[in-house]
Amino acid sequence: MNNSIVDKVLIIDDNYDEALPVIQALSKNGIFTIYWNGNVDTKPEHPLKGIRLVILDMRFSAVTDSHTINANLFTLLKYSISKENGPYILFIWSKHDNEYLESFKNELSKLTDIPQPYLIVNMEKNKYIKVTAEENKYYQEIATELNSKISKKIKDEVLSILQNLGMYNTIDTIQIKENAVEELILDIDEKLKEANALCILLMWENIAKTSAHKLVTNIANVSEIDGTWDNNIKTLIQHLASANAGQSLEPTAKEYIINAMYSLNLMLPDELSNHLMKINIDESRFSFINSPAIMKNIEGDIFSISKPNKKFIVKRNDAECQIFGSFSAIKEEPYKRICQELYSEYLGYLGTSNFKFLCERAASNDLKKPGSIYKVEDGEMLEELSKFMFKNVKDIDINNFSLINLDISSSCDYAQNKLKKVRLLFGIMIENPYYFEINNTDDIYCTPEINVDGKIVKIAFNFHYITYESKDRIPEANKLFSFRELFLTEIKHKLSTYISRVGIINL
């Protein structure tokens, strides 16, 4: 099994002996497992996060009603998996056939209070374990004694009580079949191939964890493990903090720790790159889309939208049905409504990806660096800026837009604590459908679509509008988010190129 795909597995089974083949198979590959027998007394104190594979026994009692069985399984998942867990694969692990599986899938898909698995597969216990029923001599001795002492009615009542307590006339002996562990490893590996895209994300997650482990090991090994280790590494941590914050570093534990960790963040990509260069990819395992497109099921038909060039192409069941650059070109219903849905879906994917790649969530002032985006309440400035930003400003309600400032100050001024005033670039946060109204001129820089608090927007900056403000007069509450350093550098480069352009220098 490829243990670079999953490294944290939850097994839920009321019989540990039946779960043992799975635990052994995963342990053999160095994969950690968490076992829960399903009892309320032993359930996790808090629903777990970061679980990537859940192996769930379907039957915890002799009940045969599918609704009751499903309700119990849903409760187990709710207790054990956090809604913030993220993607996971669910293996149904049962001695019984999959007669209940479809009912389970259908009911689970309708629930909103349980994290939905990205893939559900069935695995039969009987393939890996053998259950042999042996006579329970203690049960038989009690039954024989009751035959000579009490009436049949009372005897039946006593035996019924024993059975309710878990004592039966036979005892199941569980044995692991020959080569079961090896077969289970192969079967799990084969099932994981169905989760193509998820495997890639989990592979990267595991590489990131491995890279962090390697970095921590390298830092820890700087000093010998003796009585001076803690002092020496603590000194190194303070040096890392100083390297990040410079003279602005304040002598507090919080300042040292946060800035040292930020330096570790900057060192991590090197370890990641080293691991990525060594990774082996099984080409036969992964398949990719020849023509990438966002797909959506609309009333039983599969529609897709893509943008190979400057125009969007919409297909219905692989047959091209619409091409458009703007919605005004679409006249026919219901395709106008469908194209709107697909376009919104497309922007959602694009905006979320761009935000993750280009932006950071709003950070506190503990991390002193440029790149922050601040919301500004200034109607006059918004109106003035709009005149130069849009092609037909008279046809636009600028009250739908937000005026913002981008901190484009020097990083070294922050680090050396020399920043007296913050250098700010004015811009406007614009929602669709006004993207096409933005002027395409050298003095305007427009970001791609980004997802800001659930809204897909572009931010257009005007290089003519730069101001300075005391850092004490910029409310922290107005900070929306920050641009990553690489993206901020690109904007600064465009700005410097525009400022230093050569115009007409002779008559």
Side-chain angles (χ1 to χ4, degrees):
M1 185 192 302
N2 188 346
N3 62 356
S4 65
I5 294 178
V6 291
D7 70 342
K8 195 173 181 182
V9 179
L10 172 65
I11 301 174
I12 307 176
D13 195 322
D14 59 339
N15 191 327
Y16 180 81
D17 291 334
E18 292 182 359
L20 187 59
V22 182
I23 295 173
Q24 289 180 334
L26 296 173
S27 297
K28 188 173 182 180
N29 285 268
I31 297 174
F32 300 102
T33 57
I34 301 172
Y35 171 75
W36 178 35
N37 62 7
N39 291 341
V40 175
D41 295 339
T42 56
K43 71 180 179 68
E45 290 187 5
H46 304 285
L48 304 171
K49 297 179 182 179
I51 299 294
R52 296 303 179 225
L53 178 62
V54 177
I55 299 178
L56 176 65
D57 184 16
M58 179 163 273
R59 301 292 296 276
F60 280 75
S61 68
V63 175
T64 57
D65 174 58
S66 62
H67 181 73
T68 304
I69 292 172
N70 292 341
N72 180 55
L73 297 180
F74 299 153
T75 300
L76 295 173
L77 290 173
K78 187 175 181 179
Y79 277 150
S80 58
I81 305 294
S82 168
K83 292 187 72 174
E84 289 77 42
N85 177 77
Y88 71 98
I89 301 168
L90 178 60
F91 280 9
I92 297 299
W93 168 255
S94 177
K95 287 182 292 187
H96 309 274
D97 57 29
N98 60 2
E99 59 182 305
Y100 301 101
L101 186 60
E102 290 306 314
S103 170
F104 172 80
K105 287 181 179 180
N106 292 334
E107 289 192 38
L108 178 61
S109 65
K110 299 173 185 176
L111 301 177
T112 58
D113 58 341
I114 297 175
Q116 295 291 316
Y118 281 46
L119 176 69
I120 301 177
V121 294
N122 185 52
M123 296 184 67
E124 296 291 335
K125 281 185 180 180
N126 292 332
K127 185 177 178 181
Y128 314 103
I129 63 174
K130 180 180 180 182
V131 182
T132 306
E134 297 181 353
E135 186 179 273
N136 187 342
K137 63 178 182 179
Y138 300 107
Y139 183 93
Q140 295 299 331
E141 288 177 2
I142 294 173
T144 302
E145 189 67 21
L146 291 176
N147 282 335
S148 60
K149 301 292 184 181
I150 58 178
S151 66
K152 183 178 184 304
K153 180 180 179 181
I154 297 177
K155 171 195 168 185
D156 291 342
E157 290 179 358
V158 172
L159 292 180
S160 177
I161 292 172
L162 291 176
Q163 290 172 7
N164 289 335
L165 293 173
M167 179 180 282
Y168 299 92
N169 61 340
T170 60
I171 299 175
D172 288 344
T173 301
I174 300 169
Q175 294 177 314
I176 300 175
K177 292 183 178 180
E178 186 178 0
N179 299 323
V181 172
E182 288 74 14
E183 288 185 20
L184 184 58
I185 291 172
L186 294 174
D187 287 347
I188 292 177
D189 206 32
E190 192 65 29
K191 296 290 186 182
L192 288 174
K193 290 181 180 179
E194 299 178 35
N196 226 225
L198 181 56
C199 282
I200 297 171
L201 296 178
L202 299 187
M203 191 185 305
W204 182 87
E205 181 181 50
N206 197 270
I207 290 173
K209 291 177 181 177
T210 304
S211 300
H213 296 163
K214 180 70 173 177
L215 180 58
V216 168
T217 300
N218 290 340
I219 295 294
N221 288 340
V222 169
S223 176
E224 295 182 3
I225 304 176
D226 55 23
T228 64
W229 182 88
D230 187 69
N231 176 83
N232 294 343
I233 298 302
K234 196 177 293 182
T235 300
L236 176 58
I237 288 172
Q238 290 188 230
H239 286 322
L240 290 174
S242 298
N244 180 67
Q247 296 180 12
S248 66
L249 181 67
E250 297 177 8
T252 65
K254 183 177 181 180
E255 281 276 301
Y256 281 122
I257 293 171
I258 289 177
N259 282 283
M261 288 184 174
Y262 200 84
S263 289
L264 291 174
N265 285 350
L266 300 177
M267 297 160 68
L268 185 59
D270 185 51
E271 291 293 344
L272 278 169
S273 297
N274 288 336
H275 281 84
L276 287 172
M277 286 188 292
K278 298 174 185 177
I279 190 172
N280 292 318
I281 301 296
D282 183 356
E283 295 288 342
S284 64
R285 185 185 186 104
F286 299 98
S287 59
F288 279 87
I289 308 166
N290 292 328
S291 301
I294 301 301
M295 305 180 76
K296 188 176 179 66
N297 190 325
I298 301 177
E299 299 176 356
D301 289 318
I302 302 299
F303 285 86
S304 67
I305 185 170
S306 61
K307 190 180 181 183
N309 297 305
K310 293 184 178 181
K311 292 189 176 182
F312 291 93
I313 298 177
V314 174
K315 294 182 179 180
R316 177 184 180 183
N317 299 326
D318 290 330
E320 191 176 290
C321 60
Q322 285 287 328
I323 299 177
F324 65 90
S326 64
F327 290 116
S328 59
I330 305 173
K331 305 296 183 183
E332 183 183 354
E333 292 287 354
Y335 284 121
K336 190 167 187 176
R337 173 182 57 84
I338 291 172
C339 288
Q340 176 67 61
E341 287 186 40
L342 290 169
Y343 182 62
S344 297
E345 194 91 0
Y346 175 88
L347 288 184
Y349 280 87
L350 191 65
T352 300
S353 301
N354 283 336
F355 188 91
K356 293 290 185 185
F357 189 64
L358 304 174
C359 309
E360 301 172 333
R361 291 294 174 192
S364 69
N365 280 334
D366 292 327
L367 292 178
K368 301 176 178 62
K369 58 176 185 176
S372 296
I373 296 285
Y374 298 94
K375 187 173 182 179
V376 181
E377 299 293 342
D378 188 336
E380 291 184 6
M381 176 59 74
L382 176 60
E383 185 176 353
E384 181 180 342
L385 197 59
S386 298
K387 293 177 182 178
F388 300 98
M389 198 74 78
F390 300 106
K391 300 172 185 175
N392 300 299
V393 69
K394 293 181 180 180
D395 300 330
I396 298 174
D397 183 4
I398 63 172
N399 294 318
N400 295 323
F401 305 146
S402 297
L403 184 68
I404 59 96
N405 280 153
L406 168 63
D407 180 357
I408 56 171
S409 305
S410 171
S411 298
C412 63
D413 285 343
Y414 272 105
Q416 297 171 14
N417 204 21
K418 294 180 178 179
L419 193 69
K420 303 303 179 184
K421 287 196 173 185
V422 178
R423 187 183 300 118
L424 300 168
L425 176 64
F426 276 101
I428 300 178
M429 191 179 295
I430 304 160
E431 293 184 45
N432 189 52
Y434 299 109
Y435 299 159
F436 298 104
E437 295 295 332
I438 302 171
N439 280 318
N440 184 21
T441 54
D442 291 341
D443 59 339
I444 293 175
Y445 179 90
C446 188
T447 71
E449 296 90 342
I450 54 177
N451 187 335
V452 179
D453 296 329
K455 294 181 179 180
I456 309 301
V457 302
K458 288 186 176 184
I459 301 179
F461 297 99
N462 192 308
F463 293 153
H464 291 289
Y465 287 83
I466 300 176
T467 188
Y468 294 85
E469 187 65 76
S470 172
K471 59 181 179 180
D472 299 327
R473 295 187 61 184
I474 302 177
E476 178 69 14
N478 288 359
K479 184 185 292 187
L480 301 177
F481 58 93
S482 299
F483 285 155
R484 296 192 189 277
E485 185 175 352
L486 190 62
F487 190 39
L488 179 63
T489 301
E490 180 188 345
I491 296 173
K492 287 183 176 181
H493 174 72
K494 296 285 187 182
L495 173 61
S496 64
T497 301
Y498 177 76
I499 291 175
S500 60
R501 71 193 187 284
V502 178
I504 300 173
I505 56 174
N506 63 292
L507 296 178

